Amino acid sequence: MSVVYDCSDPDSRADGLKAAVAAVRSGRLVVLPTDTVYGIGADAFDGAAVRALLQAKHRGPDMPVGVLVGSWSTVDGLVLGVPQHARALIEAFWPGDLSIVLPHAPSLHWDLGTTRGTVMLRMPLHPVALELLREVGPMAVSSANVSGRPPAANAQDAEQQLQDSVSVYLDGGPSGAPVPSTIVDLTGSAPVLLREGAVSAEAVSEVLGVELGAKE
């Protein structure tokens, strides 16, 4: 049975974070607020938990899950290398609404779906999310909704869709405008814009000093 914790109350927030940490470490799912929409998350290194996340969303491995991190330095242990363009974007937009796709470190044994050796990373600008991430480490996180339905803008929306597939719901109040993160692919010879969201393509280009390629 799932439990909802009101993170606007300090005691409930502390209890909720403690419960969320225990859930993630035991392979269960949690819903957490982020700076975009609510997310459903699991331990990024627990393949069974990630598969349960995809199942809760009624989604297959052909739509892989991104990874949220709690600090800039976490990225160094997850990817094959952090190129200059990635450093520039991290310094300009993290924590915030920009996701970066990079080749993941070959030594990592994780199963995020059909990623073809890449990982999508983001550091969210939300205190509850950051506190959880800094306690449990990288989490596989997707929008807290059933595929094909609108992303959850609050914990109640998420609970209505995901119900008891999630153990812990961290209620951080309503999210901002339901605008997804911008996604930039840095796995090739030039940066490619995969999705324009909360951060404009112009802002990304200005930081990189180059025009972004388009998704083929």
Side-chain angles (χ1 to χ4, degrees):
M1 181 176 177
S2 57
V3 182
V4 181
Y5 294 89
D6 179 5
C7 293
S8 66
D9 175 81
D11 291 336
S12 179
R13 171 174 166 159
D15 290 342
L17 283 165
K18 184 177 179 180
V21 168
V24 172
R25 288 178 174 167
S26 62
R28 291 176 286 142
L29 305 179
V30 303
V31 159
L32 62 154
T34 79
D35 46 343
T36 55
V37 294
Y38 271 70
I40 176 174
D43 181 347
F45 299 101
D46 186 331
V50 176
R51 288 191 291 274
L53 186 160
L54 290 170
Q55 185 176 17
K57 286 179 61 72
H58 301 176
R59 179 165 135 179
D62 57 311
M63 298 178 69
V65 185
V67 172
L68 295 187
V69 298
S71 69
W72 291 6
S73 59
T74 304
V75 173
D76 293 298
L78 302 178
V79 299
L80 192 58
V82 183
Q84 183 178 352
H85 279 162
R87 294 279 184 208
L89 294 178
I90 287 170
E91 290 176 7
F93 298 111
W94 283 15
D97 302 339
L98 184 80
S99 297
I100 301 170
V101 180
L102 290 166
H104 73 68
S107 59
L108 294 182
H109 298 288
W110 57 10
D111 183 7
L112 302 170
T114 310
T115 64
R116 297 178 176 85
T118 68
V119 62
M120 183 174 71
L121 299 167
R122 187 168 82 87
M123 181 180 175
L125 181 58
H126 195 288
V128 173
L130 288 174
E131 191 168 346
L132 178 58
L133 290 163
R134 286 166 180 166
E135 188 67 29
V136 302
M139 290 181 64
V141 177
S142 182
S143 56
N145 62 293
V146 172
S147 285
R149 296 178 62 182
N154 55 59
Q156 292 71 35
D157 287 348
E159 188 180 17
Q160 286 176 2
Q161 295 191 51
L162 301 170
Q163 302 181 15
D164 285 342
S165 62
V166 172
S167 295
V168 174
Y169 288 84
L170 297 176
D171 184 353
S175 66
V179 180
S181 66
T182 295
I183 304 175
V184 178
D185 185 345
L186 297 178
T187 60
S189 57
V192 173
L193 181 69
L194 298 184
R195 179 178 73 194
E196 185 168 14
V199 178
S200 70
E202 289 77 12
V204 175
S205 292
E206 184 177 352
V207 168
L208 296 180
V210 297
E211 289 296 317
L212 294 174
K215 180 181 178 182
E216 295 182 356

